[in-house]
Amino acid sequence: MLRAVSIAAGLLLLTGLNTFAVRAEVILSEEERAWRDSNPTVTIAVDNDFAPINFLQDGRPAGIAVDLLDLIAQRSGLHIEMVSDRWSVLIEKALGHEIDGIINADLTPARQERLLYTRPYYRVPQALVVREDAAPFAAPEELPGQRVAVLEGTSRVTYLQRHHSGAQIVEAETLLDQFALVIAGQADVMLSALPVTHHAMTENLVTGLRISGVFQTDEVDSLHIAVRNTAPELRSILDKAIADISRGAAAWQ
């Protein structure tokens, strides 16, 4: 399996790859071509509160993940229609097969009952954030017995339930709500993606908080596109496009 690139490398590589002329489409099987011809437009969900990976800019999806989808469209010949909303809304639509797929989905057992996953394309380290005057949390093993703020509907909820059941989970609707919970003392620590957390703290001039620990786990870090399990051909088409993009990125390293 091709190695998933990091977010930092991904930003540089995707930006660089976009400066080149569009490459030829990947070679599809007869079954894949038939599926694409019957389904020329696919709807892919993009979270609107995950900057710099994906977010809304002037009302339109933008960010690294959107650049990736544009490259996938070029390689696959699919027209990708992006649907944007809060993550908790989008993942329910994906699980209900109201849309064809969702980007940046971590792989969980419950989701696998309804969704098929592409190969991973990024690995995103996780951050533990506390108040400036609080004791640090350096690793997730220290979370049991603590109130942990996480985004609702994300794999971080199930990750804590599966591996750190002693933690008290406090679900928040947005990243800014997570910050507010910790600042107000309604949560002891928050768990979120490192680049997204750092970006939000900088852009929103968040004070009174600090990143006290960073860790990685395949259960949360590895990002995929998850598609409805009634469309295995779509998953294989996307896999081929991601592999082709990964090869191009590797050539830049």
Side-chain angles (χ1 to χ4, degrees):
M1 178 179 292
L2 290 172
R3 179 174 54 87
V5 297
S6 68
I7 284 294
L11 176 58
L12 294 173
L13 293 169
L14 287 176
T15 301
L17 287 171
N18 272 323
T19 64
F20 287 88
V22 176
R23 292 179 57 179
E25 292 181 5
V26 295
I27 298 174
L28 302 180
S29 69
E30 183 177 340
E31 292 78 10
E32 291 165 345
R33 288 196 305 273
W35 191 94
R36 183 191 63 183
D37 292 344
S38 298
N39 303 269
T41 298
V42 296
T43 52
I44 302 292
V46 179
D47 182 5
N48 63 13
D49 189 27
F50 206 52
I53 300 172
N54 40 263
F55 55 96
L56 288 183
Q57 187 172 62
D58 300 325
R60 297 172 61 85
I64 298 169
V66 174
D67 291 341
L68 176 67
L69 288 177
D70 287 340
L71 290 173
I72 288 173
Q74 293 170 11
R75 302 297 200 279
S76 67
L78 289 168
H79 174 71
I80 296 177
E81 181 180 304
M82 300 182 203
V83 179
S84 186
D85 208 321
R86 298 195 320 274
W87 176 262
S88 58
V89 173
L90 296 176
I91 191 64
E92 288 304 315
K93 287 186 175 181
L95 291 169
H97 294 183
E98 297 175 49
I99 51 181
D100 293 308
I102 184 167
I103 200 163
N104 297 343
D106 290 316
L107 193 155
T108 70
R111 292 175 185 175
Q112 285 182 285
E113 294 177 4
R114 300 285 294 166
L115 303 172
L116 299 173
Y117 282 76
T118 66
R119 66 184 64 213
Y121 46 84
Y122 292 144
R123 287 204 69 195
V124 185
Q126 304 301 303
L128 296 170
V129 181
V130 300
R131 293 182 300 279
E132 284 186 342
D133 60 353
F137 291 92
E141 289 74 21
E142 301 174 26
L143 296 179
Q146 308 300 321
R147 297 166 299 170
V148 186
V150 293
L151 282 178
E152 62 181 359
T154 64
S155 59
R156 293 169 191 84
V157 176
T158 54
Y159 167 74
L160 290 174
Q161 291 171 338
R162 285 165 58 86
H163 300 288
H164 306 288
S165 58
Q168 179 183 338
I169 299 170
V170 183
E171 295 190 58
E173 190 172 285
T174 69
L175 190 64
L176 293 182
D177 290 339
Q178 283 184 273
F179 291 145
L181 286 168
V182 179
I183 290 172
Q186 295 176 328
D188 302 302
V189 58
M190 65 174 274
L191 169 60
S192 60
L194 175 61
V196 176
T197 302
H198 185 270
H199 182 273
M201 292 177 73
T202 302
E203 289 294 306
N204 294 283
L205 303 177
V206 174
T207 59
L209 297 178
R210 61 189 173 92
I211 296 173
S212 70
V214 176
F215 70 96
Q216 288 192 300
T217 169
D218 287 341
E219 192 164 332
V220 179
D221 292 342
S222 297
L223 301 183
H224 313 250
I225 301 175
V227 304
R228 53 187 173 88
N229 60 6
T230 54
E233 298 89 352
L234 175 58
R235 192 263 299 271
S236 62
I237 292 170
L238 296 177
D239 255 342
K240 285 184 176 180
I242 292 169
D244 191 61
I245 294 166
S246 298
R247 280 191 290 269
W252 261 61
Q253 291 180 313

